[in-house]
Every structure is written in structure tokens, then in C-alpha cells.
Amino acid sequence: MILITGATGTVGVRLTRELLAGGVPFRALVRDTQRAAQMLGPEVDLVEGDYERPQTLRVALTGIERLFLISPLTPRLADQEGNVIDAAVRAGVEHVVKLSTLGVLGGLSSPEPRQYPLHRLSEGRLERSGMAFTHLRPGPFMQNVLSFAPQIAGEGAFYGSWGDGRMGYVDVRDVAAVAACVLFGEGHERKEYGLTGPEALSQAQVAGKLSAATGREVRYIDVPPEVTRESMAGRGVPEWLAGAMVEVMASIRRGGTDETYDGVSLVTGRPPCSFDDFAREFAPAFEPRMAEASEPV
Ligand SMILES: NC(=O)c1ccc[n+]([C@@H]2O[C@H](COP(=O)([O-])OP(=O)(O)OC[C@H]3O[C@@H](n4cnc5c(N)ncnc54)[C@H](OP(=O)(O)O)[C@@H]3O)[C@@H](O)[C@H]2O)c1
């Protein structure tokens, strides 16, 4: 049996859909079963569990052979994933597929964004656990851009501190498709997959592609990191997370992230979604009346 974690999150919701569509039997660990049932539908087999309460993990992992491990970006990431890894070893889980990030590969100029060492710590713990493992390392999600939809709809612009740095965006649905193939397939033990779309893009290029897709001019406006951090604080983003996001922007601005990886096509056998395709599909989300609605998934 497969157990997926983070099922109500950005990646997990799409992974749940992939597994349901493929007719793959699986269970989803969630903190709130009622809320999750409303989100995911009655056909998903739910089990209650919380990374911060290891006793709940023991029950949730009973009878599980393969586990998809994902945790939210907080200072507790390595501790929470450590709790799950320890419980998985005790439960006899055979293979853990961990969602990590491209940033763990290093090679960026210092200072390193705060979340990368946490993911690296967790990857190391998993590698030493004795269980088979696969690391999925995506670049930034294309769907992150949807959070700019209200600004783009309102003033035709979005703001950030990436400078001219480029990054290998990936569609979350491709990440989910890879995860489903790895969980269901064979031969992925001890593999590490970098996951990006077909090209690394600067924010000016992203703006150009959004302009082409929407038929309205979209501009990227670069602002100092303090302005980005204050704006995030104003929107209620927790201080640690805002710091992590600004640090990622700074590392991309300094360069060294202008790379693409072929994990999506290697694992799924089809090319990854391009930003042009993504922008065309989600163009209505950047129109004034759509931007008021909730983020499309
Ligand atoms: N965003 C990007 O561009 C990007 C790029 C590369 C890598 N990543 C990595 O992706 C990961 C985040 O993935 P995501 O965006 O899918 O996550 P997300 O949307 O933040 O969702 C987090 C999930 O974890 C669950 N969760 C939170 N605390 C939990 C706990 N104590 N016990 C059990 N479950 C818990 C949440 O459940 P509830 O519904 O109960 O809250 C939710 O399902 C991070 O590790 C990040 O580094 C992100």
C-alpha cells in the first residue's frame, strides 16, 4: 500500500488526482480528516496523522510499503520529516519518495537560503535510514505565479527581487505525475530527479509570456528585498517563510540557477509543460474578474 503525505497541499492535491485517475490504491495521511474529505472527495482513503505527534504516525504507517513524504516550508521541516522517517523505519516501509528542492544541489553563491540545509539534512537522514529512497527536486512551481494574479489583473504588473536571475520553473502537475510514476513504478531506488520545465526564465521573460497569453501588457518590477519582505509581512506571510523566500530571490538574482533538468521526461516519458502552455491555460486567472476568485488548481 502507498501512503501519501501533504495530500491537502499544492503538490499533494494534484498527486491525489493522478493516483485516482491511474486507479492506484493509496491512502492519504491528513491532520483533519473532515476537511480533507471535503477537499479531496469521498473516494480517497484517509488516515489521521500529524508529524508533530509521532504516535499518530505509527498507526498511519502500519501496512505501508511506499511513502510519499512532503512537508511544509517551516523551520521544523527536518525535525518533522525526521519523525516520519523514524516511524517509517519502525513500520517496515520499503521505499520513501521525498519531495525536496533543486536548491539542495548547492553551487549557489553564499549565503544559502535557509531551507536548503533543512532539505539536505532530511535527505541525508533518509539515505542513512536503510530504506530505499528517491529524491524529487523541483524548481519553483509555475503555479506560484498565480499568487500575482490580483496585482497583474489590477495594475498589469508584479513585483519581486529576483533581478535578471533565471530559474527553471516547473508545473506542479508534472511534479505530481513524476511522483505517481515513481510510487507506482519500479527502478527508481537511490535516484535523484531534478524537475524543471524546458527553459530557465527571468521574471522579465515570465512577464513577456504572460503578456502574450493574456493579450495585455504585464510588467515585472524589481524592488529591493526589504520591500518584498515588508509586502509579504503585510499579506500575513510568516516572518521565517518570508525570509526564506527573499533569500531564494537573492540567490537567483546572484545567478547560478540558469539550469534545466530532464527528470520529468525521464520518469514520465513525455516532455514537461512549458511556461507558454501554462500561461495560455491560466490566462483567464489574470483577468480582473477571475483574479478575485480563488486560485485555480
Ligand atoms: N513552492 C515551490 O515553488 C517549491 C519548489 C520546490 C520545492 N518546494 C517544496 O515543496 C514543499 C511544500 O510543498 P507544498 O507546496 O505542496 O506544501 P503546502 O501546500 O504548504 O502543503 C503542506 C501540506 O503539509 C501538511 N502538513 C502541514 N503540517 C503538517 C503536520 N504537522 N503533519 C502532517 N501534515 C502536515 C498540510 O496539511 P494541512 O492541510 O493539515 O495544513 C499540507 O497538506 C516544501 O518542502 C518546499 O521546500 C516548493
Side-chain angles (χ1 to χ4, degrees), residues 199-218:
E199 55 189 342
L201 299 171
S202 69
Q203 296 309 303
Q205 289 173 307
V206 165
K209 288 176 187 297
L210 290 174
S211 302
T214 59
R216 296 166 54 234
E217 191 195 6
V218 176

Side-chain angles (χ1 to χ4, degrees), residues 97-115:
V97 181
K98 170 175 156 47
L99 189 94
S100 184
T101 172
L102 263 189
V104 299
L105 292 173
L108 297 173
S109 55
S110 59
E112 185 177 51
R114 60 189 71 178
Q115 65 269 43

Side-chain angles (χ1 to χ4, degrees), residues 24-228:
V24 178
F26 72 101
R27 201 171 289 157
L29 177 147
V30 295
R31 289 193 289 186
D32 181 339
T33 48
Q34 250 186 336
R35 185 176 152 264
Q38 274 168 5
M39 257 184 102
L40 304 173
E43 61 274 36
V44 178
D45 181 7
L46 300 172
V47 57
E48 203 176 314
D50 187 330
Y51 304 152
E52 298 289 359
R53 294 189 293 130
Q55 68 279 15
T56 64
L57 302 175
R58 187 177 54 79
V59 178
L61 285 160
T62 302
I64 297 302
E65 287 139 11
R66 292 186 179 192
L67 169 69
F68 180 67
L69 176 57
I70 188 166
S71 50
L73 208 45
T74 74
R76 298 276 307 146
L77 185 145
D79 295 306
Q80 292 190 337
E81 293 195 351
N83 286 346
V84 182
I85 291 166
D86 290 350
V89 169
R90 281 196 289 273
V93 171
E94 292 164 14
H95 186 171
V96 178
V97 181
K98 170 175 156 47
L99 189 94
S100 184
T101 172
L102 263 189
V104 299
L105 292 173
L108 297 173
S109 55
S110 59
E112 185 177 51
R114 60 189 71 178
Q115 65 269 43
Y116 296 166
L118 297 180
H119 272 299
R120 205 177 291 125
L121 208 64
S122 184
E123 284 192 4
R125 192 161 178 170
L126 177 55
E127 287 165 18
R128 292 188 299 277
S129 71
M131 298 182 287
F133 63 86
T134 310
H135 298 319
L136 306 186
R137 295 178 178 146
F141 302 155
M142 292 180 188
Q143 279 75 1
N144 296 351
V145 174
L146 293 169
S147 68
F148 301 131
Q151 271 182 335
I152 291 173
E155 49 181 304
F158 64 99
Y159 299 77
S161 307
W162 290 278
D164 297 325
R166 292 177 189 226
M167 49 187 167
Y169 275 113
V170 63
D171 190 313
V172 181
R173 292 168 296 183
D174 282 338
V175 177
V178 168
C181 287
V182 172
L183 285 166
F184 192 53
E186 301 299 333
H188 300 290
E189 294 83 1
R190 305 189 75 82
K191 296 271 176 65
E192 307 165 350
Y193 296 113
L195 308 176
T196 68
E199 55 189 342
L201 299 171
S202 69
Q203 296 309 303
Q205 289 173 307
V206 165
K209 288 176 187 297
L210 290 174
S211 302
T214 59
R216 296 166 54 234
E217 191 195 6
V218 176
R219 289 172 303 131
Y220 166 62
I221 300 175
D222 201 65
V223 295
E226 312 82 68
V227 174
T228 298

Side-chain angles (χ1 to χ4, degrees), residues 236-290:
V237 177
E239 195 182 331
W240 188 92
L241 182 59
M245 290 160 80
V246 169
E247 285 166 17
V248 170
M249 288 182 189
S251 73
I252 290 166
R253 182 186 197 100
R254 288 193 297 271
T257 55
D258 186 2
E259 284 177 335
T260 57
Y261 293 83
D262 60 359
V264 174
S265 51
L266 261 180
V267 176
T268 66
R270 59 164 175 77
C273 173
S274 69
F275 200 93
D276 294 298
D277 290 340
F278 171 83
R280 271 192 293 273
E281 183 179 349
F282 286 95
F286 299 97
E287 282 171 15
R289 69 197 152 72
M290 285 299 290

